């Protein structure tokens, strides 16, 4: 499940995260590299100026999605050559990044700045903060009272991959989802068939799981599923018309593909006789769930929206 989530995140940010077209990313490798570039100054002897592809750094992507930079952090920072000083600089940058995202509503209390470091910088960080590295006079007083996790290289890579994925997911939530306008989503209670179904409130404080914008999408899913289920599958030979349901999450309620098919049918009704009519409307086995998923993927590819989706 985590690998599928990572692949989806990587695909979206590769395609839509940048201001000037696509830019392939890998999680966490290219992201760690983006923020760890050491730029040489022209004043130094026997050095040459590094040539970088502008608008291809992590903080450029952040600026593109957010519209404003993090105060004190440029897209391409000049980092100290001393390994320990560089580590402290990067740790500070990551701390500022997490604080900035949290101020925008991101849920990242489980992500620590050191998990965003490159492996060699994390090793230095653990040595400095456990007293194993000598010669560094800089204090890490901010860590007082906070547990220090010393991870082996394999565990750190797993943790780093998860941390960067969560950072990107929360960036999507706080910078992209707010673009969903509630003005274009009619009140679902305006449908007579939904009047007996519990409503989903869009108020900011009515859920500690989903944001207001995520709940707006849930309202949209409920509306179109209830509106279309009797239309899309009125002639179904694989279970008849599916029952009414209350869609309250983005995982279990979407597993059988019917909810997503109902949304697509709203905008592409021509897919009903060619694709959606063939779906199981009350799937019970893994094979039937797979059958519905394959039909949904074929429908997405038919309208060129597959985005390299894999079942």
């Amino acid at each position: 499940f985590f690998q599928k989530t990572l692949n989806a995140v990587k695909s979206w940010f590769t395609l839509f995260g940048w201001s000037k077209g696509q830019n392939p990313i890998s999680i966490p490798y290219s992201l760690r590299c983006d923020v760890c570039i050491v730029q040489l100054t022209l004043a130094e002897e026997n050095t040459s100026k590094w040539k970088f592809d502008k608008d291809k750094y992590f903080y450029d992507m952040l600026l593109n999605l957010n519209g404003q930079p993090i105060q004190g952090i440029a897209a391409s920072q000049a980092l100290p050559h001393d390994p320990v000083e560089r580590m402290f600089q990067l740790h500070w940058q990551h701390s500022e990044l997490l604080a900035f995202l949290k101020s925008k509503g991101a849920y990242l209390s489980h992500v620590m700045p050191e998990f965003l470091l490159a492996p060699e910088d994390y090793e230095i960080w653990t040595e400095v903060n456990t007293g194993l590295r000598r010669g560094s006079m800089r204090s890490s007083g901010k860590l007082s009272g906070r547990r220090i996790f010393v991870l082996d290289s394999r565990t750190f890579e797993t943790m780093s991959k998860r941390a960067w994925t969560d950072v990107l997911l929360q960036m999507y939530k706080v910078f992209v989802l707010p673009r969903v306008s509630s003005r274009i989503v009619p009140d679902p209670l305006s449908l007579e068939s939904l009047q007996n179904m519990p409503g989903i409130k869009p108020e900011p404080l009515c859920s500690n799981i989903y944001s207001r914008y995520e709940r707006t999408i849930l309202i949209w899913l409920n509306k179109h599923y209830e509106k279309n289920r009797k239309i899309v599958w009125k002639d179904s030979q694989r279970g008849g018309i599916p029952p009414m349901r209350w869609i309250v999450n983005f995982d279990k309620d979407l597993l059988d593909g019917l909810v997503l098919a109902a949304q697509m049918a709203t905008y592409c009704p021509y897919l009903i006789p060619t694709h959606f009519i063939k779906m199981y409307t009350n799937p019970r086995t893994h094979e039937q769930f797979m059958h519905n998923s394959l039909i949904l993927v074929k429908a997405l590819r038919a309208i060129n929206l597959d985005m390299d989706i894999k079942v």
Side-chain angles (χ1 to χ4, degrees):
F1 172 79
F2 173 69
Q3 187 61 45
K4 290 180 179 179
T5 301
L6 185 149
N7 290 338
V9 171
K10 182 171 64 175
S11 294
W12 192 93
F13 280 90
T14 291
L15 293 171
F16 307 114
W18 309 88
S19 61
K20 296 183 180 180
Q22 302 178 16
N23 180 39
I25 68 169
S26 61
I27 303 174
Y29 311 108
S30 69
L31 300 178
R32 293 189 310 211
C33 179
D34 282 348
V35 296
C36 294
I37 293 175
V38 180
Q39 296 189 43
L40 305 180
T41 64
L42 292 176
E44 294 174 326
E45 295 182 1
N46 301 322
T47 61
S48 60
K49 185 178 181 181
W50 287 24
K51 295 181 179 179
F52 301 107
D53 186 7
K54 294 183 178 180
D55 305 313
K56 296 298 183 182
Y57 305 119
F58 172 81
Y59 287 104
D60 285 307
M61 180 174 68
L62 181 69
L63 177 61
N64 177 52
L65 296 175
N66 175 46
Q68 64 182 44
I70 301 178
Q71 187 174 5
I73 300 180
S76 52
Q77 293 271 39
L79 299 176
H81 287 281
D82 178 75
V84 176
E85 291 299 319
R86 182 190 66 187
M87 178 274 293
F88 277 114
Q89 170 72 18
L90 290 170
H91 193 276
W92 173 81
Q93 286 185 202
H94 295 328
S95 298
E96 292 297 305
L97 169 65
L98 295 174
F100 175 75
L101 293 176
K102 290 176 186 177
S103 72
K104 299 294 183 179
Y107 298 151
L108 290 168
S109 59
H110 63 292
V111 176
M112 298 181 182
E114 52 267 27
F115 295 154
L116 303 179
L117 294 169
E120 56 272 19
D121 292 316
Y122 175 75
E123 183 177 353
I124 296 173
W125 182 87
T126 57
E127 290 176 354
V128 169
N129 287 286
T130 56
L132 297 178
R133 190 180 185 95
R134 305 301 178 186
S136 174
M137 302 300 293
R138 184 160 178 174
S139 171
S140 55
K142 290 185 178 180
L143 295 175
S144 59
R146 179 162 78 78
R147 183 179 177 183
I148 299 174
F149 292 92
V150 181
L151 309 176
D152 60 71
S153 58
R154 184 175 180 179
T155 304
F156 171 75
E157 284 295 344
T158 301
M159 187 66 74
S160 181
K161 183 180 295 185
R162 181 60 184 266
W164 276 107
T165 301
D166 288 346
V167 165
L168 292 178
L169 282 170
Q170 291 299 309
M171 284 173 56
Y172 182 89
K173 188 184 81 170
V174 299
F175 298 142
V176 180
L177 280 184
R179 301 174 190 173
V180 177
S181 173
S182 60
R183 293 177 296 177
I184 64 174
V185 181
D187 183 357
L189 298 181
S190 63
L191 291 174
E192 183 178 353
S193 58
L194 281 181
Q195 289 182 354
N196 296 325
M197 182 182 293
I200 296 175
K201 298 180 180 179
E203 286 77 13
L205 299 180
C206 72
S207 173
N208 63 349
I209 299 176
Y210 291 133
S211 68
R212 178 179 58 183
Y213 313 106
E214 290 168 308
R215 295 196 299 278
T216 298
I217 295 176
L218 287 175
I219 292 173
W220 175 69
L221 292 173
N222 276 284
K223 171 185 179 294
H224 287 299
Y225 174 76
E226 184 55 33
K227 176 182 177 182
N228 287 329
R229 66 184 179 91
K230 295 180 181 179
I231 298 174
V232 177
W233 294 287
K234 64 178 180 179
D235 299 320
S236 172
Q237 301 299 316
R238 297 179 183 270
I241 297 174
M244 177 187 290
R245 67 172 71 175
W246 189 28
I247 304 158
V248 295
N249 59 63
F250 294 103
D251 44 19
K252 292 183 179 179
D253 289 338
L254 305 184
L255 281 178
D256 59 13
L258 297 175
V259 174
L260 294 177
Q263 316 310 308
M264 292 182 64
T266 299
Y267 306 98
C268 305
Y270 53 85
L271 293 173
I272 296 175
T274 59
H275 292 77
F276 302 144
I277 195 67
K278 303 173 185 177
M279 299 176 76
Y280 287 98
T281 56
N282 190 25
R284 297 182 181 277
T285 66
H286 292 296
E287 291 76 13
Q288 291 174 344
F289 276 87
M290 176 64 75
H291 172 88
N292 283 1
S293 298
L294 288 171
I295 288 178
L296 192 63
V297 170
K298 289 179 180 178
L300 289 167
R301 288 174 178 167
I303 58 175
N304 297 318
L305 276 179
D306 62 294
M307 284 174 50
D308 195 31
I309 293 177
K310 296 179 177 60
V311 180

